Amino acid sequence: MNRTNSKDNENQKSNGILLNSEITIPDWFPIVYERRGGGAIAYLGAISKTNTDMNIECCPYWIRGKHSTDDVVKDAVLGFYRLENGIIFKDRFIDDYPLNPYEVIPDKAYIYLPNSTSTYYGIFEKDTDEINSAQTQRIFGLTYEDLDQVLEAYGYIFGHGNIYRRYPQITRSTQRNNCCDLSGAWIPKGFPYITFAESGYSFSHVSLSGFYQHLKLLLLARSKSGIWQKMLECGIDEKLLNQIIEINDWPYQSVRYGEY
């Protein structure tokens, strides 16, 4: 029996399948771990005890390849930035769940974040470079395409934007961190957010999670809501509206601007 289990474990490792407890801190962030059987877990970086600048993609070089439960890691970091449903929250690392072991497949997908030339984001498969829409929804809340469509309808319904520029829209800052004007959540440099106006004006920085909560409030009554009906008239599929309502945020507390 033990020999069989050992052989099964070896076969799983050769297929890239590992227990979460066997995962060590990667060389680089962001990183995605795909759960065997479905779902994904994404980390944006480590929360350093010594670096006063909040940054994603941060990881002290001396903790790479170690377990998050090692003393040297505990001395260096406060935790890890995890992303789910568009919410950035503080969490333990994937190997630190001894009471809830599960299998993962590392290095199967990667996170694409906005850069100086693009506002696009998503979870992509490494083998094909094709977007994984289901995992993107799980990690970011909505795919880029779905969010962009909703924002276009929102702008039309509420009369935002002008002849020169469409508002609201997806954007990013390549120079600095920002604070969500709705929730106070941290919007990291290089991370997507929603803008309703030029920088410096009211609601020019709205986090993905903040916007989703705003939308959920508007759509709370579902088909009884006037906004729901207006969204349908703008061509938004009812399935997408239900998906917005079901974006789960209750277990998580967004990292706030300047918190770490």
Side-chain angles (χ1 to χ4, degrees):
M1 188 70 171
N2 290 335
R3 289 181 180 179
T4 302
N5 289 339
S6 176
K7 187 174 181 180
D8 288 343
N9 289 336
E10 289 178 4
N11 289 336
Q12 288 182 356
K13 288 183 179 181
S14 67
N15 291 327
I17 301 171
L18 296 171
L19 278 174
N20 63 306
S21 59
E22 297 176 326
I23 300 294
T24 57
I25 297 169
D27 290 341
W28 308 104
F29 287 97
I31 192 164
V32 182
Y33 299 98
E34 184 168 313
R35 293 189 69 150
R36 191 181 187 194
I41 299 171
Y43 290 94
L44 297 178
I47 307 173
S48 174
K49 285 186 176 180
T50 57
N51 187 354
T52 57
D53 294 327
M54 295 174 65
N55 290 302
I56 56 177
E57 304 180 4
C58 173
C59 181
Y61 69 89
W62 61 87
I63 70 171
R64 296 169 182 170
K66 300 183 182 300
H67 283 287
S68 66
T69 53
D70 293 347
D71 288 340
V72 66
V73 179
K74 291 180 178 179
D75 290 341
V77 302
L78 294 167
F80 296 84
Y81 294 124
R82 185 173 158 192
L83 176 65
E84 188 167 326
N85 287 327
I87 304 166
I88 300 173
F89 60 100
K90 177 187 175 184
D91 197 15
R92 293 178 290 174
F93 194 58
I94 193 172
D95 66 335
D96 191 17
Y97 285 89
L99 300 179
N100 184 27
Y102 51 88
E103 295 175 334
V104 296
I105 308 172
D107 298 324
K108 187 176 181 181
Y110 64 92
I111 299 179
Y112 185 90
L113 291 173
N115 53 46
S116 59
T117 60
S118 171
T119 60
Y120 201 80
Y121 64 81
I123 306 297
F124 286 79
E125 299 291 342
K126 282 188 175 180
D127 292 342
T128 62
D129 279 330
E130 293 182 356
I131 191 165
N132 186 322
S133 295
Q135 303 291 35
T136 299
Q137 289 168 4
R138 179 180 178 86
I139 300 304
F140 287 95
L142 295 177
T143 65
Y144 182 94
E145 291 80 6
D146 285 346
L147 178 56
D148 187 61
Q149 185 184 15
V150 168
L151 290 172
E152 184 175 9
Y154 186 105
Y156 175 80
I157 293 168
F158 291 99
H160 287 290
N162 52 54
I163 61 173
Y164 303 105
R165 193 171 183 183
R166 195 196 92 183
Y167 288 112
Q169 63 173 288
I170 306 167
T171 188
R172 77 284 182 225
S173 172
T174 59
Q175 301 298 320
R176 63 187 179 90
N177 294 335
N178 286 290
C179 177
C180 176
D181 294 332
L182 280 178
S183 66
W186 172 51
I187 303 173
K189 178 175 65 176
F191 196 80
Y193 66 91
I194 312 303
T195 180
F196 284 77
E198 292 183 21
S199 183
Y201 290 87
S202 297
F203 304 109
S204 55
H205 302 90
V206 176
S207 64
L208 297 184
S209 57
F211 184 66
Y212 295 153
Q213 291 309 298
H214 170 61
L215 277 179
K216 287 172 68 174
L217 180 60
L218 293 176
L219 301 170
L220 193 59
R222 297 185 189 258
S223 59
K224 296 178 182 178
S225 163
I227 303 303
W228 183 286
Q229 297 301 330
K230 288 289 186 182
M231 284 281 183
L232 293 179
E233 292 173 10
C234 288
I236 304 299
D237 193 286
E238 193 165 36
K239 182 179 178 181
L240 177 54
L241 297 180
N242 279 309
Q243 182 184 326
I244 293 168
I245 290 287
E246 292 164 7
I247 291 177
N248 189 8
D249 70 310
W250 66 264
Y252 315 124
Q253 178 64 51
S254 294
V255 171
R256 297 183 67 81
Y257 181 78
E259 184 173 1
Y260 300 110

